[in-house]
Each structure stands twice: as structure tokens, then as C-alpha cells.
Amino acid sequence: MYKRCLPIFLLTFSFSLTQAQKIIPESDKTISSPDKNLVLRFYQKQIAAHQRAFYYQLSYKNKTVIGESLLDLQLDNHLSESAMALKVDRHKKWFDNLQIKHIVSSEKDTSWKPVYGEKALIRDHYHMITVHTVKEDHPIYRMNIELRVYNEGAAFRFYFPENEKGTYYRVMAENTEFALAEGTQAWVAQWAQAPYAKLPLSNWEAEAERPLTLELPNGLFASLAEAQLVDYSRTKFRLSTDKSHTIVTSMFTPADLISPFASPWRVIMVAESPAQLAQNNQLILNLNAPSKIKDESWIKPGKIMRVMSQTTKDAMDNIDFAVQRQLQYILFDWKWYGPAFSFDSDASKVAIPDFDLPRIIKYGKEKGVGVWLYVNQQALLMQSDSLFAVYKKWGVAGVKFGFVQSGSHRWTTWLEKAIRQAAANGIMVNIHDDWRPTGEQRTWPNLMTAEGIRGNEEMPDATSNTVMPFTRYIAGAADYTICYFDKRIKTTHAHQLALAAIYFSPLQTLYWYDQPSDYQQEPELEFWDNIPTTWDETKVLQGAPGEYVSTARRSGGDWFLGTITNTAARDLEIRFDFLPKGKTYTAKIYSDDDKSDTVTKVSITSRKVTQSTVLKVKLKPSGGQAIWLQANP
């Protein structure tokens, strides 16, 4: 008996030796970016008998960015299959028996105009392949792998067409890998508002937030991000337990889905410098659907100030201050309708004395200042079906969502629904606390900004501030809540002044902990008075995370520049080669100056600049500089 079985054993063993880890030739495809710098390779391997797996690699100018890495989801549909009297899939790995039917190549090159943004026109240009697969023994299950390559990076996702039998899908885990070179360093934040630390790919204490910015040993910079998270579970990043120097996606909870559906895009942005990486963040927007709001005229970017003491008189004073300082909105923060964490509080009723909200809103409208209201998770959960209609009737401009739940599939879909409900009633939205955008503000541009950042609520130091443009802001607009007069600020005043140009937020919070009475005619605040919050053009001029950054933004004919350093003093040069040739500008320069007569120790100087100008800048520890450029006639 043993002798008769031996050939069968040898045949099986021979298969594993000759076929294991072999690339299936017809699956092996490469896609290059439009500029030919990025090349993504996709293929399927025969791992063992009746077991296959998908892989990809990514390079930039022949330099490896991502080595061979697995593309994988783990699904468990057995309850739905059993309930519908369908064949139950028993494969240990759901992808094991997916067979490629055909691969389709395509490309796109269009442009679109955002309602607001860091540039007036965004180009959406990529090359793409769509890999159509089906389960060999279960043809009701079809799945497409969509892979795109842009000049700015690569992205891929899993798409499930409508299932002919109507079975439901339960995605248990996503096991997509990012194999990196030894020596790679990652800028890790453990939660959305956490401080960042530059770490090797070993011994992380917890998962890493997205976007996850990487410094590669070959001199390149990359960022791993998530786009179009609208009907899924948030996916962060963890270290592989069995492969060195490898990062793996990590879903917060399973996702229960009905076809057709797609996973969020997994994004790998690549650049030759941190500045280029930060400037290319429109890639996240391009991976989202166009705006679904037909009439966008009511969506108005602007600057906003919080009313620190919520009385009618204080509200009126803040409106008057907003007019003087060219702010477009005021905010009433939590507790105006009662204890924010209680389900008993009614966010359609004012619950504090001496607070005449109708009168305040009316006065604001007369002065051209809109009113935003804070509403906490509890009230939003209980009242969102009717609350936004009430606020529309009141004349409220926007709602700040407070302490939102995030991460799970349940809370992701709930939050997306709340944004849509607000849009249906002409209400703008600002989402606060542990949540980060993934480009959905393109689809629902009433989502003006979001927190998910270590801002001035935590009073971070200057080093932390220099990390943010290269990490958090890759995800999109952030509400940092910039301050000016508060004594707890850990930077110079010129540093805070410059943040309004460096940090993008169509709804930009200024004077977060400040009050109108703090203002003592500080002349440098004309920079904030005149700075807009939406831009025609943006240039990240230079920088390195944790060290320094210089950013220039144009609105119309004016440019606004911001430069900050970390906790160390620094000498920098600012080159104005981004200006039009042959044109002269008057530069107003706002700098830290211990000899200044102002309490804030900021001086103002003026000079002429052209495209050939090189400005030498001396920055104090935790310092900064702001510049306002106006074109000469």
C-alpha cells in the first residue's frame, strides 16, 4: 500500500517544487504614470495547488518604492450564503481560487474646478488597468482589482459588481502589504490628534494613522494614504508580524456590505522631496467622486472666531470684531443647548440664559457675519434627521460636529449620511476630534474642514507644527484652531501669523482662545485681515518634516507666504522664482523682532521683489515669518 501511494506523494511534492511561487504569465502587467517616472507591476502567483495570490511592486525612476507585496482581502459570507441556500465558500483564503478572466487598460486626462481649494483647477490624469476575476467554483462571485498610476503616485482598490444571487458580503480583514527597504523611517501618529514620532519599521507601540509619511533610504519620500472611505471601516497601518520592513493594512472593524461596492483606495504617493509630496495632495481628491451638490452657491469659505463667553452682548462684540478684522463667521461652541454629552439635551433649543440666538443671527446677517453652531455626537445621532432643517430655518451657516465616533463601518456610514443631510439643507460642516478626511470633500464640498490634528487645543510646540504639512495635511484641510494672544502658545507670534498661509482650511479658525478685548491695535494682524482661505495656486517652496517649511499661496494677484522653523533657530533663503517674469511686487514682511515696540514683538518691513529675488531669513527658535506680496501697477 505504501509503495502504491508513494508516486502520488511524489507527484504532489513535485508540483509544489515546480509550481509554487510561480507567476502566472498572462497576469503579469505593468502600468506607468503619464510622465513615465512611476511604474507599477501587477501579477498573480500560483502559491500551491488550488491556491493563488495577487501581488504588486512599485518603482520611481528605476528606484524601488514598494517591493513584492500582497494584495488581499479576507471575507466570510457563510451566514448570508447559508440563509440564502447558496453554496458556502470554504476556502481558507477567499482570494485562493480567484481566476483572472481578462485585464482591461484605460487612461483618463481631464480637469475640474473645486468650489474651494489650494488651486483653481485640478488635473485628473492617470493610466489604469482593471483586472476582472471570478471564483472558479462559485461564479456568482466576481471581483475587479482597479489599479491607477498618476504622476503623483499609485492607487488601487477592490470592486465587487452586483451579485446575481443577492448574497451579502462581510469583509473581515484587509491584508494588503507595503514591503519597504531596510532603513525606511516612518512619521507615526497613533491616533488622529496624537503627536508624531519618526520611527524605524520595528517595535511600534500601536497602529499608525493615515496618511503615513515615509522617508526611504534611497532618498525618495512616500506617503501611504486612504481615499474615498465612505462605506467601509477605517483602515490604519501596522507592522507585519512575519515579514521584516513590511507595513500591512489594519481594519478597525469588519465591514458588512451589499454589492455593488468598492473598498477605499489604498494610495502610495511618491516624490523626490517632502515639499513635492505635500504639494501633490490633490491625488486624494481625484480618487473621489465629483460633487453631488447641484447648487453650490451657498458654500462660502471664510475665517471664523469662537465666542468665548456665550452671552448676547459677547456675541455682538464678537460680530463687531469680526467685521473689523475681516472675519466671515463666528462660532458658538459646546453647551449652548445644554450638557453636550447627554441625550437629554435638545440641540434645537437654547439652554443658557441671556443668549438671544435669533437676535444674534439677525445682527450677524446685517453685518455680513454668519453663525456656526457646535453640536455634539449625542444630539446629532438623535436629531440629525430634523435638526439641519431647523438650522436652515434659523439662518445658521454651518455646524461643527463635536466628539464624533469614528473608525467602525457603522460610524463611517453614519457620518457620511450626516454630511449629506446637512448638504440637503444648505448647511456647511466642520468635523472635530478623532476623524480625518479621505477626499470626500470633493463629493460633498459642504464639508469645509475637519480636525484630526494636534492643533492649538493641545498647544503643540513648533517642531510638531513643522511636521503637519507633510503628514496630516496630505489628507486635506485641517482645523488647527490658530491662536494669537493666548499665553500658553509655545511659539512666537510671527510663527502663529504664518500658519494661516501654511495650513490650508477653507474654514480657517483664528483667535481660537482669544477675545476681542485682547486686541490692542497690533499692526501685523493686517496679514490675517487680508489673507483668504481658498486659493488659485499653491507652492510648497521648501521644507523637511520636524524642521521647517515655507509655503506660498496665490489668490488673484496677491501672494501670501508663511515660513516656520522648529524649536531651533534657523537661517533660510526664500527664492521668489515662482513669480511671473518681468513683474515687480511690494513685499510686506512680518518678522519676529525683539526690538519691536509691540507687545507681540513683531515688526513690519517693506521691499520690492521680483522673480530673481533671494530673501535671507533668520528665524528665532520656534519662530516664523509671514509675507504679503502685492503686484505693482
Side-chain angles (χ1 to χ4, degrees):
M1 189 70 163
Y2 174 77
K3 289 182 179 179
R4 293 180 63 185
C5 290
L6 183 59
I8 299 173
F9 169 79
L10 289 175
L11 179 64
T12 304
F13 183 68
S14 175
F15 177 90
S16 67
L17 283 177
T18 59
Q19 299 297 324
Q21 302 298 308
K22 287 290 185 71
I23 293 174
I24 300 171
E26 57 269 26
S27 73
D28 196 354
K29 301 293 180 181
T30 59
I31 333 165
S32 62
S33 57
D35 63 8
K36 309 299 183 186
N37 290 332
L38 274 167
V39 177
L40 185 147
R41 183 187 180 194
F42 167 86
Y43 48 91
Q44 188 180 37
K45 278 187 172 183
Q46 188 77 49
I47 303 300
H50 310 297
Q51 185 181 353
R52 307 184 189 104
F54 298 109
Y55 293 89
Y56 76 99
Q57 299 174 27
L58 184 66
S59 64
Y60 177 86
K61 291 185 177 179
N62 297 316
K63 291 183 177 181
T64 298
V65 178
I66 305 291
E68 181 175 272
S69 298
L70 182 70
L71 290 167
D72 183 67
L73 291 180
Q74 186 59 41
L75 289 88
D76 182 0
N77 302 341
H78 79 276
L79 291 177
S80 176
E81 291 163 341
S82 299
M84 294 179 174
L86 298 171
K87 177 182 176 181
V88 176
D89 186 272
R90 301 291 185 186
H91 290 271
K92 184 178 180 181
K93 291 188 175 182
W94 203 84
F95 278 24
D96 275 354
N97 67 329
L98 283 172
Q99 181 183 33
I100 295 176
K101 302 301 290 184
H102 57 279
I103 299 175
V104 178
S105 298
S106 59
E107 61 180 286
K108 180 180 178 181
D109 188 3
T110 60
S111 296
W112 58 280
K113 293 183 178 181
V115 181
Y116 50 75
E118 298 181 82
K119 54 183 67 176
L121 190 67
I122 296 176
R123 189 178 185 186
D124 187 6
H125 190 195
Y126 61 83
H127 294 165
M128 176 177 179
I129 63 169
T130 302
V131 182
H132 296 261
T133 74
V134 64
K135 271 189 168 288
E136 281 184 321
D137 61 351
H138 217 341
I140 67 169
Y141 285 120
R142 295 175 295 137
M143 187 195 75
N144 300 341
I145 306 175
E146 300 175 356
L147 304 102
R148 296 182 185 178
V149 185
Y150 297 75
N151 293 342
E152 301 85 2
F156 45 80
R157 70 175 181 179
F158 306 103
Y159 175 79
F160 292 81
E162 186 171 78
N163 189 297
E164 64 186 68
K165 297 295 185 181
T167 189
Y168 305 135
Y169 293 74
R170 184 168 175 81
V171 180
M172 302 299 294
E174 185 168 332
N175 306 310
T176 295
E177 297 174 345
F178 306 86
L180 295 150
E182 183 177 1
T184 299
Q185 299 280 310
W187 284 95
V188 175
Q190 295 180 11
W191 69 95
Q193 293 167 265
Y196 276 87
K198 187 177 177 180
L199 301 175
L201 303 188
S202 61
N203 302 317
W204 291 1
E205 294 181 0
E207 295 175 342
E209 258 292 356
R210 70 280 187 274
L212 177 61
T213 295
L214 306 169
E215 298 183 12
L216 309 185
N218 59 15
L220 295 176
F221 296 83
S223 186
L224 308 182
E226 183 171 45
Q228 204 178 27
L229 171 62
V230 295
D231 186 14
Y232 208 72
S233 174
R234 181 188 64 206
T235 304
K236 292 187 180 181
F237 301 103
R238 62 175 175 83
L239 294 177
S240 171
T241 56
D242 58 354
K243 296 181 181 179
S244 60
H245 321 303
T246 299
I247 293 170
V248 183
T249 50
S250 180
M251 291 175 64
F252 187 74
T253 62
D256 294 292
L257 300 150
I258 301 174
S259 63
F261 71 90
S263 68
W265 291 96
R266 303 296 160 221
V267 187
I268 309 165
M269 294 174 59
V270 184
E272 295 180 8
S273 70
Q276 184 186 30
L277 191 70
Q279 190 167 310
N280 287 344
N281 65 355
Q282 74 274 0
L283 176 56
I284 307 300
L285 295 173
N286 277 335
L287 290 163
N288 281 261
S291 175
K292 294 185 179 180
I293 300 175
K294 291 183 179 179
D295 176 15
E296 301 166 332
S297 61
W298 52 272
I299 302 172
K300 298 185 182 299
K303 294 167 283 190
I304 189 169
M305 178 182 187
R306 177 174 61 161
V307 181
M308 290 294 292
S309 181
Q310 295 182 151
T311 68
T312 302
K313 180 183 183 305
D314 286 307
M316 302 294 195
D317 289 344
N318 273 262
I319 289 171
D320 292 339
F321 181 78
V323 173
Q324 294 167 13
R325 301 266 60 86
Q326 300 180 45
L327 309 177
Q328 289 70 44
Y329 301 105
I330 61 168
L331 165 71
F332 296 112
D333 216 30
W334 75 333
K335 297 186 179 181
W336 66 269
Y337 60 89
F341 292 120
S342 173
F343 282 107
D344 294 329
S345 296
D346 185 348
S348 66
K349 297 177 181 178
V350 174
I352 55 177
D354 189 23
F355 190 68
D356 189 341
L357 188 54
R359 181 183 166 195
I360 293 166
I361 293 173
K362 182 175 182 293
Y363 184 71
K365 284 190 173 182
E366 291 170 356
K367 298 288 187 176
V369 177
V371 171
W372 281 64
L373 300 176
Y374 174 102
V375 182
N376 209 56
Q377 167 89 37
Q378 282 82 350
L380 287 169
L381 183 62
M382 296 296 291
Q383 298 179 264
S384 65
D385 288 345
S386 60
L387 192 60
F388 298 119
V390 172
Y391 290 165
K392 180 179 182 180
K393 186 177 179 181
W394 287 2
V396 171
V399 174
K400 174 183 170 183
F401 294 9
F403 288 105
V404 296
Q405 285 264 46
S406 64
S408 70
H409 186 206
R410 174 194 178 185
W411 292 118
T412 297
T413 54
W414 173 82
L415 195 53
E416 295 297 321
K417 178 184 175 183
I419 295 168
R420 295 195 303 269
Q421 289 174 320
N425 290 281
I427 299 293
M428 293 178 283
V429 172
N430 175 6
I431 300 175
H432 258 238
D433 300 296
D434 193 46
W435 185 85
R436 289 183 171 182
T438 60
E440 53 268 81
Q441 56 269 46
R442 179 187 180 186
T443 311
W444 299 103
N446 63 312
L447 173 59
M448 306 300 288
T449 191
E451 194 177 21
I453 188 171
R454 196 165 190 81
N456 269 343
E457 287 189 0
E458 288 85 13
M459 289 297 176
D461 65 11
T463 299
S464 176
N465 290 346
T466 64
V467 175
M468 296 304 163
F470 310 104
T471 53
R472 166 60 182 86
Y473 280 91
I474 287 175
D479 190 14
Y480 177 91
T481 57
I482 304 171
C483 295
Y484 202 69
F485 298 109
D486 194 278
K487 302 297 183 184
R488 294 171 293 171
I489 293 171
K490 296 176 182 176
T491 71
T492 68
H493 286 87
H495 183 112
Q496 293 291 314
L497 206 65
L499 292 182
I502 297 169
Y503 290 170
F504 171 66
S505 185
L507 183 75
Q508 185 77 274
T509 301
L510 303 175
Y511 306 104
W512 174 246
Y513 283 114
D514 305 328
Q515 301 184 62
S517 58
D518 295 328
Y519 175 64
Q520 300 299 317
Q521 306 296 319
E522 287 78 8
E524 71 271 12
L525 286 172
E526 68 176 9
F527 184 78
W528 279 3
D529 296 347
N530 289 284
I531 195 169
T533 63
T534 187
W535 306 96
D536 296 317
E537 190 176 358
T538 294
K539 301 286 186 183
V540 183
L541 303 178
Q542 58 186 337
E547 297 182 33
Y548 66 98
V549 64
S550 296
T551 300
R553 301 186 190 270
R554 180 180 64 82
S555 176
D558 290 5
W559 286 87
F560 293 81
L561 282 70
T563 298
I564 58 172
T565 183
N566 57 13
T567 52
R570 191 176 303 276
D571 292 345
L572 292 173
E573 289 185 348
I574 297 177
R575 299 181 179 275
F576 291 83
D577 52 6
F578 57 88
L579 294 175
K581 188 175 182 180
K583 206 163 188 177
T584 302
Y585 289 77
T586 297
K588 272 196 170 181
I589 304 170
Y590 308 86
S591 307
D592 293 311
D593 185 356
D594 290 336
K595 297 179 181 179
S596 172
D597 294 333
T598 64
V599 174
T600 52
K601 298 300 179 185
V602 175
S603 66
I604 306 174
T605 57
S606 295
R607 61 167 292 175
K608 303 295 184 186
V609 299
T610 66
Q611 188 186 63
S612 61
T613 301
V614 178
L615 182 66
K616 295 184 182 298
V617 180
K618 286 187 172 292
L619 298 174
K620 295 176 60 175
S622 304
Q625 183 188 78
I627 302 175
W628 177 19
L629 295 178
Q630 295 175 281
N632 292 343

